[in-house]
Amino acid sequence: MTTLQAASPLIVIAQKTRQAASKLAVLSAEAKNHAIEAIAQALESARDEILQANIADCEAATADGIAKPLYKRLQLDEHKLRDAIAGVRDVGKLADPVGKVQIHREIDTGLILKRITCPLGVLGIIFEARPEAAIQIVSLAIKSGNGVILKGGKEAIRSCEAIVKAIKQGLSHTAVSPDAVQLLTTREETLELLNLDKYVDLIIPRGSNSFVRFVQENTRIPVLGHADGICHVYVDKAADIAKAVSIAVDAKIQYPAACNAIETLLVHASIAPEFLPKLAAALQENHVELRGDERTAKILHHINSATAKDWETEYSDLILAIKIVDSLEEAIAHINEYGSRHTEAIVTEDLAAAETFIGLVNAAGVYHNCSTRFADGFRYGFGAEVGISTQQMPPRGPVGLEGLVTYKYQMTGDGHIVATYTGANAKSFTHQDLL
């Protein structure tokens, strides 16, 4: 006689999350929006506790020698928390993505086909630093009817615990079970989570290139995410120089640790002598280290030399590589060779050049005369985002609610059988759309 092996603690957690998610999936939009507002209020009530927890995380991370870019992502000040809570409420205002009829078709008289959106099920979110990501993701998960298992990095453990505690307290007074939101805290749980393909439907990693690649290579669960954030601004020969300086500075310094900050600047040779000194002055005022190719160094003296490695490096810091190119085509070729398919921008007053750039650059976001830092779910009006995807297949770019639902086909008949539509006297389908 054999005894059944007890389920691991994480499997028990995953089972509870799935059960809660199955009930969440059929809730009305009103019930979900009530839960989202309850989360926002609970986070506001726990503001001081959350900020103190983050201070403790930052102090511990500093003592451990945390890298500067990661430290910036870890910091959660009053303004970031306020914006994250505003994002929760923005998600509540969005249309419910569940239950949308995408196809409504008569196959034959009395035989009706529908394709209707539905939740994915359970999301596994693994992220380094950036504790406010937990807030964004939970609000999107609940709006889209999904349960969520969160795994924050060790550097953000206190912040995440305070955030999830508040979220669960908020949910406890709503139709959404607090079991729909879970938090894991150890590295061992991360590895086990990646093996829970029976219970988890999508993994979303947010962190460094090496971290995301590790997740992608160690799970059978579908992964939504991006490994690199190597973004470019190309300053065309027909660029407005003042615009170009402003855009390039913003794209580099506004938040250099972000994945949509630029790492390489490409400049057309004909505009470089006039443009580069002005840009260098603005960037060096903001303590940006410049690295240039040989032609750039002839215009900007005393800057560091760029090597081939610089074109493929995500600095996530106040460092910018600069390369002079002879044509729009050369700029596009460089971006398609070294870019990470995240976000790319051209600065030009030549609409034909802009259209060519937008058409030929392979990236999730391609911009004309604006900063790459706009690549963000909140700024796109998604309320928040669960992450940014650089894959070719959708969802692509900043992923909001639409990336967290799938669809199912529903068919209703009245005794219909396939045999009626085969053979010598086969009946024809009507295939009439009813939408």
Side-chain angles (χ1 to χ4, degrees), residues 364-411:
V366 189
Y367 296 175
H368 174 210
N369 282 354
C370 55
S371 170
T372 57
R373 288 282 291 122
F374 283 107
D376 177 84
F378 179 77
R379 296 184 181 112
Y380 279 13
F382 297 167
E385 66 182 38
V386 291
I388 291 182
S389 173
T390 54
Q391 63 189 14
Q392 291 293 103
M393 295 293 290
R396 199 179 190 201
V399 178
L401 290 173
E402 84 291 342
L404 301 181
V405 294
T406 183
Y407 53 78
K408 62 177 68 173
Y409 289 95
Q410 301 176 7
M411 188 175 285

Side-chain angles (χ1 to χ4, degrees), residues 10-11 13-15 17-18 120-126 147-150 184 189 192-204 219-223:
L10 184 51
I11 288 178
I13 289 172
Q15 289 171 336
T17 311
R18 199 153 194 86
L120 290 170
V122 175
L123 313 175
I125 316 294
I126 311 173
V148 59
I149 300 174
L150 301 163
L184 309 182
E189 288 173 320
E192 189 176 352
L193 176 63
L194 296 179
N195 289 318
L196 293 183
D197 50 299
K198 182 177 179 181
Y199 302 103
V200 179
D201 300 282
L202 180 68
I203 294 286
I204 304 176
T219 186
R220 294 189 299 272
I221 303 169
V223 176

Side-chain angles (χ1 to χ4, degrees), residues 64-76:
D64 288 341
I66 189 172
K68 181 181 172 185
L70 199 58
Y71 182 84
K72 289 182 179 178
R73 292 174 181 168
L74 174 61
Q75 281 184 304
L76 179 62

